[in-house]
Amino acid sequence: QVQLVESGGGSVQTGGSLRLSCTTSQLTYTMAWFRQAPGKEREGVAVIYNGARKTYYADSVKGRFIISQDNAKMTTYLQMNSLKPEDSAMYLCAASPGVAWNTITWAVATRYNYWGQGTQVTVSS
């Protein structure tokens, strides 16, 4: 059983930055960040896999968010810049042993086996 623990959420103003961290109990091939706002479906934000050689991002965060990994620390990061109020959500870390992804499948929440509890991000205007 892989355990995931997120941290780094908080409240910032529009244009601000936050860095989220997800520490795992064991390395998995694919790590992703999702987010879910009240009344909305869980949305894929970014994924990293294949030894951090490949990434995908949601169109809404491209150019603003960066996903990275430090395997020695078993930690996956999400650097979030130029934050907007619409980025406000619970951010969840997810892990999967899956090895093949495309621009659609990486963002399907049911393809991930393990989830953290989430960390709240609130962006005020």
Side-chain angles (χ1 to χ4, degrees):
Q1 184 80 2
V2 179
Q3 295 182 336
L4 311 176
V5 179
E6 302 98 333
S7 62
S11 297
V12 296
Q13 292 188 327
T14 297
S17 298
L18 285 172
R19 189 177 78 158
L20 306 183
S21 299
C22 173
T23 302
T24 65
S25 58
Q26 58 182 277
L27 293 176
T28 57
Y29 192 82
T30 298
M31 297 295 299
W33 286 96
F34 284 74
R35 65 187 181 187
Q36 190 164 19
K40 295 189 176 181
E41 291 191 359
R42 193 164 292 187
E43 172 191 22
V45 177
V47 66
I48 189 166
Y49 64 104
N50 193 13
R53 296 182 184 91
K54 295 191 175 183
T55 59
Y56 285 116
Y57 293 90
D59 288 343
S60 58
V61 306
K62 280 181 183 176
R64 300 189 297 123
F65 291 11
I66 301 172
I67 189 169
S68 62
Q69 275 186 319
D70 183 337
N71 284 340
K73 296 182 179 180
M74 293 199 292
T75 300
T76 302
Y77 301 99
L78 185 68
Q79 178 67 43
M80 305 188 297
N81 302 319
S82 301
L83 283 161
K84 305 174 182 179
E86 51 263 43
D87 294 318
S88 297
M90 180 70 75
Y91 281 71
L92 303 108
C93 182
S96 170
V99 301
W101 306 91
N102 61 34
T103 56
I104 295 174
T105 59
W106 75 267
V108 178
T110 53
R111 290 179 177 263
Y112 292 81
N113 306 75
Y114 307 102
W115 292 85
Q117 294 298 308
T119 184
Q120 180 68 39
V121 171
T122 303
V123 185
S124 58
S125 57

